Amino acid sequence: MRDLQFPLIKITLFFVLGIVFSHLFHPSVFVVISLLFFGLITSVLLYFTTRNSLNSKPYFGVSALFTSFIIGSFSLQCNNEMRNKEHYIHHLKSGEENYSVHLIVLEKLKNTTKNDRYTSEIYQLNGEKSVGKIILNIRKDALTPTIDIGSHLKVSGSLYRNRNPNNPNQFDYGRYLENKEIYAQIYADANAIKISTVYDRNLNFYASKIRNKIIHNLEKNGFRKSELSVVNALILGQQQDISQEIIHDYQYAGAIHVLSVSGLHVGFILLFITSLLKPFANTRKNNILKLIITIVSLWLFGILAGLAPCVIRSVTMFTFVAIGLFLRRTVNIYNTLMVSILIILLFEPSFLFDIGFQLSYLALFFIVWFHPLLSSIWTPKNKNVKKYFWDVITVSFAAQIGTMPLCIYYFHQFSGLFFITNLVILPAVSIILGLGVVVMILAAFDFVWHPLMKLLEILIYVLNKIINWIASFERFVIKDIPINLYMMISLFLIIIIWILWFKKPSFSKIVLGFTSIILFQIIVLNANYTNEKANEMIVFTKSKTSIITERKGKRISVYSNDSILKNIDDNLAIKSYMIANFCKINKKKSISNLYYFKGKKILVIDSAAVYLQDKKPDVLILINSPKISLERVFKSWKPEIVVADASNYKSYIKIWKGTCEKEKIPFHATAEKGFYKL
């Protein structure tokens, strides 16, 4: 770990911790700025007063790390658009849904079955100046327009703030958007959108124009759509048009990283450019010129690929690698990684919470740190074998080991097929990338050479078929793995300690290694114990459907209609709940009218509108739009709360809500507030 002792690495780590601290605890701006001034002044004074005194060096080091921590916290505060008084989120009125919005389209997102989707920037809300990013959803119909990046639009539609997950332990899409500084979505019909002739002509605008031109020229010359969508993702960084079936195959084969522009792609571009520039003499002037050409080429590729977090990270890192190569200096890869992290997060601290950003850097770190150890275990006699097969295996293993805990935590599955996949596809991807870059450059200049284009199409077709074949062995994909945050952290601890032991064995590291394993087991036992004690009843949110669960420990009873119960094990909401809580379904029953839970009497009234007046329940649950008057019901008895699930008509829910407000009885509509837990 001697490489990790560099000051820059420590400074970057404390900078990252500062961002995390600010994200979790939201300190006041005044406190952060005060501490920042204190840290900067202290660091400057300590530097000048102790630079010639070896005994006082730790004081300056501690001060510098503290200042780095505060700068990290301050950078997140500065980049938080919510602090801007003109941010649209401060001007949304409760109860008002329709807004007139002027916005600029920033990025095309993957469409849903009902909507075309775009990331956009608001600059006017209801006639007043405003700022902030938002998701624009345009309902699909025959009039749905094609919208270019950089377009100015006037949109009239319903604007909704991000909401909490509809169901327990579900993926929190609202938080995911907020990490990207997006706090709301607007929904509009195609006829409620006016497209201006004015465009925001920035780098993304021109990059989008070039991408569209390339795709148009290839489509015009007969490039098949399914293969073209993969090329679009591989080289241009655009995944919007890839079918769900192809994404599914790449996920199960452990090759989803291939469809996202990353270090693999940018590294190849660097090798490709340096190979082209090799014939030029290595004079000082030529080296500077070659460096400029290389850096400009890398960033042009990054702009063309959409400047997503993973693209920015890769291009930034390989920019520093290129500088080291052309200046003929030894490049410390740890410093290169940390410099790229520091620069990226200094300008975009929210990137730290991007899943792709986290996985990319973890994979790179473990490849750099762990791969040399794995590679040294065996040295094949045949150098060609070592150069490809053994290196591919060890690099893949290092990356997978490093990212495994985080992958399982986020996706609850792990592909055991990554060895085979990487052995087969990496040479194919290298050829496809080289050929694809040439085809794309030619297409950008309105020239498509059919033999070259068809060769690329065939290679993509073969690659997809190989991936599909590997993915068909689903038994090698471990699914629905239950893991919580503390388990993930302890798994990383186990991996890091044992790698340290393999690098340099010692008794103390063995003790730490087994201690980390025991810690992991304690965390698992504690999770099991906590879940065994759990006792809860939940009304789930499912459009036009009613699902109620009763959980006792690790056993769940599910109540719903027969058609839902038939496939309940595959229901995403129920599956997420089971994985997160380490439990399984042991009963499936139709919904009855009366339940008893924790001393509470629960009455369910469905479309039959049958209810027992003498029961006087504590909780009233309304499902399937029963035609009842709550005013009449409340004359007989008043429950502690009324719950209406998402199977009810919206008009009914509105009436019931008004009645409950009048009678001062709490009302919970799952369609608005998400699931209800008793």
Side-chain angles (χ1 to χ4, degrees):
M1 298 289 282
R2 191 182 304 166
D3 290 320
L4 303 184
Q5 300 301 316
F6 288 98
L8 180 62
I9 294 172
K10 295 177 183 177
I11 286 169
T12 304
L13 289 175
F14 273 81
F15 178 84
V16 168
L17 289 174
I19 294 174
V20 173
F21 176 82
S22 190
H23 178 74
L24 294 176
F25 300 104
H26 310 289
S28 72
V29 178
F30 176 76
V31 171
V32 172
I33 292 175
S34 300
L35 290 173
L36 180 60
F37 274 111
F38 172 77
L40 289 171
I41 292 168
T42 305
S43 296
V44 171
L45 290 174
L46 284 173
Y47 175 76
F48 285 107
T49 57
T50 65
R51 58 181 174 175
N52 297 320
S53 175
L54 294 175
N55 295 330
S56 301
K57 272 193 173 180
Y59 296 111
F60 171 71
V62 170
S63 176
L65 294 179
F66 171 78
T67 305
S68 177
F69 179 90
I70 299 301
I71 291 173
S73 180
F74 181 68
S75 68
L76 189 67
Q77 296 274 10
C78 287
N79 284 274
N80 185 358
E81 293 184 356
M82 288 274 283
R83 307 201 68 84
N84 189 336
K85 291 181 180 179
E86 292 183 344
H87 196 282
Y88 67 83
I89 206 74
H90 303 304
H91 305 290
L92 301 185
K93 299 176 182 177
S94 58
E96 184 180 343
E97 292 186 356
N98 292 313
Y99 291 84
S100 175
V101 178
H102 289 76
L103 50 80
I104 302 168
V105 176
L106 302 178
E107 181 187 5
K108 178 77 174 74
L109 300 176
K110 193 173 181 66
N111 297 335
T112 64
T113 53
K114 295 181 180 179
N115 302 302
D116 289 342
R117 305 174 71 241
Y118 301 86
T119 302
S120 307
E121 179 80 30
I122 287 179
Y123 63 89
Q124 196 176 97
L125 179 71
N126 286 347
E128 295 181 5
K129 186 180 177 182
S130 190
V131 297
K133 287 193 287 188
I134 196 167
I135 300 291
L136 169 63
N137 296 270
I138 305 174
R139 297 183 184 95
K140 289 181 179 178
D141 60 28
L143 300 174
T144 303
T146 300
I147 298 174
D148 295 325
I149 303 302
S151 298
H152 283 237
L153 309 179
K154 181 181 179 182
V155 180
S156 297
S158 303
L159 198 152
Y160 301 96
R161 300 178 78 157
N162 294 343
R163 54 179 291 173
N164 294 327
N166 284 332
N167 293 303
N169 309 114
Q170 207 170 36
F171 173 67
D172 195 339
Y173 186 62
R175 180 177 291 179
Y176 169 79
L177 289 179
E178 286 175 10
N179 287 336
K180 295 176 176 289
E181 300 286 344
I182 300 171
Y183 298 94
Q185 299 192 52
I186 187 167
Y187 292 80
D189 295 320
N191 57 14
I193 295 174
K194 294 181 180 178
I195 305 175
S196 171
T197 54
V198 177
Y199 288 92
D200 195 34
R201 298 178 183 274
N202 55 20
L203 286 174
N204 281 333
F205 170 79
Y206 291 108
S208 175
K209 285 290 184 185
I210 295 170
R211 287 196 300 265
N212 292 339
K213 184 179 181 181
I214 291 169
I215 298 303
H216 173 72
N217 284 335
L218 293 177
E219 283 179 339
K220 188 173 65 176
N221 284 275
F223 206 116
R224 283 201 299 264
K225 191 172 182 179
S226 59
E227 283 74 31
L228 184 58
S229 67
V230 175
V231 174
N232 202 9
L234 270 171
I235 300 168
L236 300 181
Q238 307 300 305
Q239 302 180 28
Q240 303 95 326
D241 299 323
I242 301 180
S243 69
Q244 198 58 43
E245 291 76 17
I246 291 176
I247 291 175
H248 175 274
D249 287 344
Y250 276 77
Q251 284 176 337
Y252 275 32
I256 193 65
H257 59 281
V258 172
L259 295 179
S260 177
V261 174
S262 61
L264 173 71
H265 307 71
V266 181
F268 172 80
I269 298 296
L270 177 61
L271 288 174
F272 182 70
I273 295 165
T274 50
S275 298
L276 290 176
L277 297 174
K278 257 187 179 180
F280 296 95
N282 288 324
T283 63
R284 185 177 179 182
K285 187 180 289 186
N286 280 356
N287 279 346
I288 292 172
L289 184 61
K290 287 195 283 186
L291 177 59
I292 293 170
I293 292 170
T294 301
I295 293 174
V296 169
S297 300
L298 289 176
W299 281 100
L300 283 175
F301 174 76
I303 292 167
L304 195 63
L307 289 178
C310 57
V311 178
I312 293 174
R313 183 267 309 161
S314 301
V315 173
T316 303
M317 190 192 73
F318 279 101
T319 296
F320 284 98
V321 171
I323 291 170
L325 288 173
F326 282 102
L327 294 180
R328 302 292 181 187
R329 293 178 181 174
T330 303
V331 180
N332 182 285
I333 192 63
Y334 296 106
N335 272 341
T336 302
L337 283 171
M338 289 302 167
V339 167
S340 63
I341 290 174
L342 190 60
I343 290 174
I344 291 168
L345 296 183
L346 198 59
F347 293 99
E348 289 289 350
S350 61
F351 279 7
L352 180 64
F353 309 105
D354 183 86
I355 297 171
F357 185 89
Q358 295 168 12
L359 290 173
S360 295
Y361 269 107
L362 270 175
L364 279 170
F365 173 77
F366 274 89
I367 288 171
V368 171
W369 183 48
F370 190 32
H371 168 250
L373 176 64
L374 292 174
S375 184
S376 65
I377 293 173
W378 176 57
T379 305
K381 293 179 180 178
N382 188 321
K383 294 296 180 183
N384 291 329
V385 173
K386 176 176 173 54
K387 197 66 181 172
Y388 175 62
F389 290 103
W390 183 238
D391 278 351
V392 167
I393 290 172
T394 51
V395 167
S396 301
F397 189 79
Q400 290 291 339
I401 286 294
T403 57
M404 180 182 66
L406 201 62
C407 284
I408 296 173
Y409 177 70
Y410 281 130
F411 309 114
H412 299 289
Q413 71 176 37
F414 184 76
S415 174
L417 303 167
F418 65 89
F419 282 118
I420 299 170
T421 304
N422 286 318
L423 282 170
V424 173
I425 70 167
L426 281 185
V429 168
S430 300
I431 296 168
I432 289 168
L433 279 172
L435 190 60
V437 167
V438 174
V439 170
M440 294 288 179
I441 291 172
L442 292 175
F445 290 97
D446 296 317
F447 178 76
V448 177
W449 188 32
H450 276 266
L452 207 61
M453 186 197 78
K454 282 297 175 186
L455 177 59
L456 178 62
E457 185 185 272
I458 291 167
L459 287 174
I460 292 287
Y461 175 80
V462 172
L463 176 67
N464 287 345
K465 286 296 180 184
I466 292 171
I467 292 292
N468 177 262
W469 175 73
I470 295 172
S472 66
F473 297 94
E474 289 192 26
R475 60 183 175 273
F476 292 102
V477 181
I478 307 168
K479 305 175 189 176
D480 304 336
I481 306 170
I483 185 172
N484 59 31
L485 178 64
Y486 301 109
M487 290 181 192
M488 181 195 72
I489 294 171
S490 62
L491 273 178
F492 272 122
L493 195 62
I494 290 170
I495 291 168
I496 290 168
I497 290 172
W498 282 105
I499 290 175
L500 288 172
W501 180 84
F502 278 115
K503 279 181 171 284
K504 193 175 181 181
S506 69
F507 178 74
S508 60
K509 289 175 185 174
I510 289 179
V511 172
L512 284 174
F514 283 109
T515 303
S516 64
I517 293 171
I518 293 169
L519 176 64
F520 176 75
Q521 292 173 332
I522 290 170
I523 292 170
V524 172
L525 289 172
N526 180 64
N528 285 327
Y529 175 73
T530 304
N531 286 309
E532 281 288 357
K533 288 171 61 180
N535 191 11
E536 59 189 20
M537 194 169 194
I538 295 176
V539 180
F540 279 72
T541 305
K542 179 71 175 174
S543 180
K544 300 178 182 179
T545 305
S546 296
I547 300 176
I548 300 173
T549 63
E550 184 178 357
R551 176 183 164 210
K552 293 181 179 178
K554 292 187 176 182
R555 297 168 297 281
I556 301 177
S557 299
V558 182
Y559 308 102
S560 188
N561 58 53
D562 292 338
S563 61
I564 296 295
L565 292 175
K566 188 176 180 181
N567 301 305
I568 198 66
D569 293 306
D570 297 322
N571 183 283
L572 292 178
I574 297 294
K575 186 180 284 188
S576 298
Y577 179 63
M578 288 193 298
I579 293 170
N581 295 285
F582 303 79
C583 50
K584 293 184 178 180
I585 296 172
N586 72 321
K587 286 183 184 178
K588 301 176 186 178
K589 291 184 178 180
S590 298
I591 296 176
S592 60
N593 292 108
L594 193 64
Y595 296 95
Y596 292 91
F597 182 78
K598 285 188 175 180
K600 300 281 186 181
K601 194 184 299 180
I602 302 162
L603 180 65
V604 179
I605 302 179
D606 58 15
S607 57
V610 175
Y611 61 94
L612 306 173
Q613 292 189 8
D614 60 330
K615 291 298 180 183
K616 297 184 179 180
D618 300 293
V619 179
L620 175 61
I621 300 176
L622 304 171
I623 66 173
N624 299 323
S625 306
K627 295 180 179 179
I628 63 166
S629 169
L630 284 185
E631 290 181 349
R632 190 177 301 169
V633 170
F634 292 160
K635 288 178 181 178
S636 301
W637 39 261
K638 292 185 178 181
E640 294 176 3
I641 188 170
V642 175
V643 180
D645 74 3
S647 67
N648 297 289
Y649 297 137
K650 290 182 179 179
S651 57
Y652 283 24
I653 293 173
K654 190 175 181 180
I655 294 169
W656 295 333
K657 184 178 181 180
T659 303
C660 288
E661 287 176 351
K662 184 180 176 182
E663 297 292 334
K664 296 182 180 179
I665 295 174
F667 181 78
H668 186 105
T670 63
E672 295 176 5
K673 299 180 180 179
F675 67 95
Y676 175 75
K677 180 161 68 173
L678 185 67

